């Protein structure tokens, strides 16, 4: 445990000019006193860690010291090679850079670990797009990706419904969701709480990068932002409600038939099963039409109670099935 922490401390100091004891303690999840002891241990082991005292003091590595990645275990090395998604890197125009980086990492590894890239590739492959859908790489994705990596503001023409709008954007991050690329960006010079927006990159019709770089908001967290916006979108389309009874098998299958968020909220709010073992739920849905399509997948494991029009549609379905199978 301590050995792993010491390696992490050296790598942190390699990546920055200097770090205070408080910063190291936060990154390593230990006390500042432990940081002091670890720095002393590294120094005694021959790692040139230098401590500067005073208000602007901290820890730094002197003499351009670099460590080889000899502290990686096999599982860590394999996980490192899983971090790059080949298809996504290729679509963003970064395949050559990623290949060069993997070669450099491989050269720094111990000989016994240099097959980590091959063993990882044989054990995990990410196929992001949905089934029965031919993925299309947006033509402007490489230009957008270049602006993201370079923190460079750009002007974009974007299809919104039947019209096109022009936006000055500060691109913060890219998200690949079920084969569709999205850009999370801040609207340049905008103010207020809603300055960060999400854009589908296949709806960009033109992108023109300027020479001006922008200063990133240090508090922006791409995974957290995406999770929040994805949750908001999922809730925004659930505008209707269906009351239904579910058998035990229907309860188990519900998350696979309807939106997972909708199923979870409905089941969490449900009361105990009735005498027949069935559970009554109030299910948020996009519309009665969508609910009809989704709940039909549960067959006889669901009984729709309301709204009346939807219940009647299921009754008609049941009558047609009875006619077909009762012959």
């Amino acid at each position: 445990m301590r050995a792993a922490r010491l390696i992490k401390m050296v790598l942190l100091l390699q990546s920055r000019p200097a770090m205070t004891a408080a910063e190291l303690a936060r990154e390593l999840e230990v006390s500042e006193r432990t940081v002091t002891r670890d720095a002393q241990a590294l120094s005694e082991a021959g790692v040139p860690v230098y401590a500067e005292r005073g208000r602007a003091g901290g820890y730094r590595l002197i003499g351009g010291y670099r460590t080889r990645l000899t502290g990686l275990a096999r599982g860590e090395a394999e996980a490192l090679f899983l971090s790059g998604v080949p298809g996504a890197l290729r679509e963003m125009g970064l395949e050559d850079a990623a290949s060069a980086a993997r070669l450099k990492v491989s050269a720094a590894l111990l000989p016994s670990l240099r097959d980590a890239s091959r063993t990882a590739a044989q054990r995990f492959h990410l196929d992001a797009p949905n089934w029965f859908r031919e993925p299309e790489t947006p033509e402007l994705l490489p230009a957008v990706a270049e602006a993201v990596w370079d923190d460079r503001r750009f002007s974009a023409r974007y299809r919104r419904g039947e019209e096109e709008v022009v936006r000055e954007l500060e691109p913060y991050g890219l998200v690949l969701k079920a084969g569709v690329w999205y850009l999370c960006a801040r609207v340049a010079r905008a103010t207020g709480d809603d300055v960060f927006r999400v854009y589908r990159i296949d709806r960009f019709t033109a992108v023109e990068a300027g020479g001006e770089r922008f200063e990133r908001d240090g508090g922006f967290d791409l995974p957290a932002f995406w999770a929040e916006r994805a949750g908001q979108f999922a809730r925004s389309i659930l505008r209707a409600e269906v009351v239904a009874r579910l058998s035990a098998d229907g309860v188990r299958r519900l998350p696979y038939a309807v939106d997972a968020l909708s199923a979870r909220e409905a089941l969490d709010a449900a009361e105990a099963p009735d005498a027949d073992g069935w559970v009554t739920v109030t299910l948020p849905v996009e519309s009665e039409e969508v609910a009809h399509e989704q709940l039909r997948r549960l067959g006889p494991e669901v009984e729709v109670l309301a709204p009346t029009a939807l219940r009647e549609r299921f009754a008609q379905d049941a009558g047609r099935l009875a006619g077909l199978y009762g012959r």
Side-chain angles (χ1 to χ4, degrees):
M1 185 72 173
R2 190 189 187 199
R5 190 175 71 240
L6 292 174
I7 292 171
K8 184 176 180 180
M9 184 174 179
V10 173
L11 293 175
L12 284 169
L13 292 174
Q14 279 187 188
S15 65
R16 307 179 195 181
M19 294 183 70
T20 66
E23 289 171 337
L24 283 167
R26 186 165 55 252
E27 291 280 356
L28 299 172
E29 298 180 349
V30 296
S31 67
E32 292 185 32
R33 181 173 296 180
T34 298
V35 168
T36 301
R37 288 198 296 264
D38 285 353
Q40 180 65 31
L42 287 170
S43 180
E44 292 173 356
V47 178
V49 178
Y50 177 69
E52 292 181 329
R53 302 187 181 278
R55 206 169 189 181
Y59 293 90
R60 68 175 69 244
L61 293 173
I62 59 175
Y65 177 84
R66 309 293 293 177
T67 182
R68 290 169 61 86
L69 299 177
T70 53
L72 287 178
R74 169 163 291 278
E76 294 169 331
E78 290 174 345
L80 178 66
F81 285 101
L82 288 178
S83 63
V85 184
L89 291 170
R90 182 172 57 252
E91 292 180 8
M92 289 187 289
L94 296 173
E95 185 176 29
D96 290 343
S99 178
R102 284 192 292 269
L103 286 172
K104 290 177 181 178
V105 171
S106 295
L109 290 172
L110 288 172
S112 60
L113 299 179
R114 287 179 186 165
D115 66 340
S117 62
R118 182 183 60 80
T119 58
Q122 293 303 316
R123 287 164 175 79
F124 178 79
H125 174 70
L126 177 65
D127 185 8
N130 286 329
W131 287 103
F132 314 117
R133 174 178 175 177
E134 189 66 29
E136 294 184 4
T137 302
E139 182 181 348
L140 296 173
L141 175 60
V144 174
E146 184 177 355
V148 169
W149 300 124
D150 208 23
D151 292 339
R152 194 176 295 279
R153 185 177 291 149
F154 67 81
S155 174
R157 296 187 66 85
Y158 185 78
R159 290 195 310 274
R160 190 173 63 183
E162 298 298 321
E163 62 176 352
E164 283 193 357
V165 297
V166 178
R167 293 285 183 270
E168 293 288 327
L169 300 176
E170 296 174 354
Y172 268 65
L174 296 167
V175 175
L176 177 60
K177 170 70 171 178
V180 179
W181 284 95
Y182 296 88
L183 171 69
C184 301
R186 183 169 63 185
V187 180
R189 289 178 282 275
T191 58
D193 297 330
D194 190 30
V195 296
F196 286 98
R197 310 280 175 83
V198 176
Y199 300 88
R200 276 186 61 147
I201 295 179
D202 58 6
R203 292 180 183 166
F204 285 125
T205 59
V207 169
E208 184 177 348
E212 183 182 0
R213 286 189 171 88
F214 64 92
E215 185 175 345
R216 296 178 67 91
D217 181 347
F220 181 81
D221 183 328
L222 179 60
F225 172 78
W226 178 258
E228 179 186 357
R229 288 304 173 93
Q232 289 175 357
F233 173 76
R235 288 180 174 84
S236 70
I237 63 174
L238 302 176
R239 302 185 181 94
E241 286 186 345
V242 170
V243 181
R245 293 176 71 236
L246 297 165
S247 68
D249 193 41
V251 168
R252 181 183 63 81
R253 291 165 53 189
L254 184 65
Y256 304 99
V258 303
D259 177 77
L261 174 67
S262 173
R264 184 169 62 249
E265 291 184 354
L267 294 173
D268 287 347
E271 297 183 357
D274 60 20
D276 297 324
W278 287 55
V279 174
T280 299
V281 299
T282 300
L283 188 69
V285 295
E286 185 174 346
S287 66
E288 289 187 20
E289 185 68 33
V290 172
H292 179 244
E293 180 67 27
Q294 292 176 333
L295 293 177
R296 283 169 59 182
R297 303 169 189 170
L298 299 180
E301 308 307 324
V302 61
E303 177 191 2
V304 172
L305 304 178
T308 303
L310 184 60
R311 179 178 174 86
E312 290 174 352
R313 290 185 68 174
F314 274 92
Q316 292 170 5
D317 290 345
R320 291 173 60 195
L321 286 170
L324 288 171
Y325 290 98
R327 294 173 184 171

